[in-house]
Amino acid sequence: MPTPASSAGRAWAVAAFGAALTLIAFVFDAAPLFVAGVAFTAIGLAAPAWVWASAHGAAASRSLQTERVIEDELLEATIQVRRGRLGLPGAEVHDPLAGTPISLSGPLAPLVGGRRANVRIVASFARRGLHTLAPPSLIVRDPLDLACAVRVDPAPAQRLLVLPRTERVRWLRGDRGQRSDQPDGDTHSDALAAVDIDGLRPYRPGTPASRIHWPAVARGAGLLERRLQADGDARPLVLLDARGPGPIELLDAAVRAAASLTLELARLGGCGLLLPGERRVTAIDRNLSGWPAAHVRLALVQGGPETRPPALGVLGGRLGPVFYVAAQPLERLPAQLASMTRGSATLVVPADSLSDGKLRGMRKTPVASFEVAGCRGFVLGARRATSPGFRAPASAA
């Protein structure tokens, strides 16, 4: 049954005023006041009855185009409104996706309106995570707004998963990137593309240009491509450190950077991903078979001071490069990580957490090599990561 809202008190106030006016007309024998009093009383009593009768059988329900959407990507939803037998003298739909009330006075009017009306809503979400959407509510009002009845969809609240958006890596230094043009017009760095090299093999059609061994072409040896090692431990690894008391924007930037690097490296031959609280590295091959599940887990990452650091003990001795993405203004890599990996080490931090756009705490401050999703990457290398000028934190588990 529809439930009366607080504005129904206006109707009772009008009815009470009409009754008082009628009483005064009897006491003072004033006929004009008697007509007005009866009219106000009738209006005050008829408005709630009309509204509640019109709301009987009316309902509003919402259907989502999809249950997953990427940050800032448009989401389309449809709200279907059904009226009762008496129509709707005045109606509004309140939905969290719309933000503002949607008026439906005309399409479902008592005399000329239809039985159903569809409302199309287009919205977007700026932040990742699992969002709970309360069901829409239909508010029926009389033309004088003396009374209203609220009909809430009995369906359970809907859940929408907002995935972090991904961006391409933008190289800031030509000498560090050593970029090679791709067939599609994009550019990649050999620092990402030429990882885990295990010799050369004949060129295969469709291989990215960054995998082509151009020195061999220059020597006249023909078109050869770099071959990646099949060993999963030799592939590049992306670690996400979600610790830090900083603003939530820093954590979101770090999550987007980790997602972007993971997708970029996976497309170039495969990589691994280790998220906070996980005890196992997720392998993602170049066919992106493990990417959808990893993308979902990235969307659900919770940061903060109480968040556990990455479980570096599960890495063992790795051969490939490591990309350490930190949400806090980190100035150094954990010493345990530097001692485990025999490949290069790259520290990726949000640009807003840097001092003058550079890292601090090192005798020779490195310059950012690339930028991705609002974060900057500093290629440190194994030696620099363990050099005396690069201080390590007290503990990192």
Side-chain angles (χ1 to χ4, degrees), residues 43-381:
I43 293 175
L45 296 177
W50 184 21
V51 168
W52 294 334
S54 299
H56 182 73
S61 59
R62 178 185 59 230
S63 61
L64 296 177
Q65 187 181 35
T66 179
E67 295 181 351
R68 295 183 182 181
V69 67
I70 298 177
E71 289 176 326
D72 296 327
E73 186 179 83
L74 295 181
L75 169 68
E76 183 176 341
T78 302
I79 299 179
Q80 186 180 77
V81 183
R82 182 182 71 251
R83 76 173 200 177
R85 293 183 178 180
L86 299 181
L88 299 178
E92 290 180 350
V93 174
H94 289 242
D95 187 83
L97 282 177
T100 58
I102 304 172
S103 177
L104 292 173
S105 301
L108 301 174
L111 298 179
V112 298
R115 296 285 298 177
R116 298 176 183 271
N118 292 330
V119 180
R120 178 174 173 267
I121 298 177
V122 178
S124 62
F125 292 81
R127 286 209 65 238
R128 62 182 175 83
L130 187 62
H131 297 258
T132 301
L133 304 177
S137 58
L138 177 65
I139 300 180
V140 183
R141 305 179 186 273
D142 63 278
L144 298 178
D145 199 14
L146 297 179
C148 72
V150 181
R151 297 283 292 183
V152 180
D153 186 10
Q158 295 175 302
R159 290 188 173 185
L160 177 69
L161 181 62
V162 180
L163 303 172
R165 67 175 182 269
T166 59
E167 303 176 7
R168 301 302 296 269
V169 177
R170 184 171 69 91
W171 292 93
L172 304 177
R173 300 178 61 191
D175 57 338
R176 178 73 69 174
Q178 300 178 2
R179 300 183 299 180
S180 301
D181 293 337
Q182 298 296 312
D184 57 359
D186 294 330
T187 57
H188 290 288
S189 168
D190 285 348
L192 291 182
V195 294
D196 308 313
I197 301 303
D198 188 22
L200 302 175
R201 62 184 173 191
Y203 173 79
R204 296 174 300 174
T207 300
S210 60
R211 291 269 302 278
I212 298 176
H213 192 259
W214 296 108
V217 177
R219 291 194 303 266
L223 202 57
L224 301 176
E225 68 176 61
R226 298 178 177 92
R227 181 175 60 211
L228 299 181
Q229 295 178 0
D231 187 2
D233 288 341
R235 295 181 178 181
L237 173 68
V238 179
L239 292 96
L240 177 61
D241 187 347
R243 294 176 296 172
I248 194 65
E249 290 78 11
L250 298 182
L251 173 62
D252 289 342
V255 171
R256 296 186 192 107
S260 301
L261 286 170
T262 301
L263 188 60
E264 183 103 354
L265 294 168
R267 286 172 173 169
L268 293 172
C271 69
L273 175 65
L274 183 62
L275 298 180
E278 295 186 356
R279 307 291 301 181
R280 184 178 180 181
V281 176
T282 301
I284 304 174
D285 58 22
R286 65 182 311 163
N287 295 323
L288 305 183
S289 58
W291 169 246
H295 205 184
V296 170
R297 296 203 304 275
L298 282 164
L300 301 178
V301 168
Q302 300 292 330
E306 304 300 326
T307 304
R308 299 180 61 183
L312 303 181
V314 304
L315 301 182
R318 297 188 61 86
L319 299 175
V322 175
F323 295 83
Y324 194 95
V325 185
Q328 62 180 341
L330 193 66
E331 300 176 357
R332 50 196 173 268
L333 287 177
Q336 185 179 0
L337 177 64
S339 62
M340 284 181 174
T341 178
R342 285 180 282 171
S344 64
T346 301
L347 176 62
V348 184
V349 292
D352 293 340
S353 67
L354 299 174
S355 176
D356 298 328
K358 296 182 179 181
L359 287 174
R360 296 169 297 175
M362 298 182 63
R363 294 177 181 176
K364 185 177 180 181
T365 304
V367 180
S369 297
F370 62 86
E371 190 175 70
V372 57
C375 296
R376 291 188 175 183
F378 300 85
V379 180
L380 305 176

Side-chain angles (χ1 to χ4, degrees), residues 17-34:
F17 175 75
L21 203 60
T22 303
L23 181 60
I24 293 174
F26 275 113
V27 172
F28 295 98
D29 194 19
L33 295 180
F34 177 78

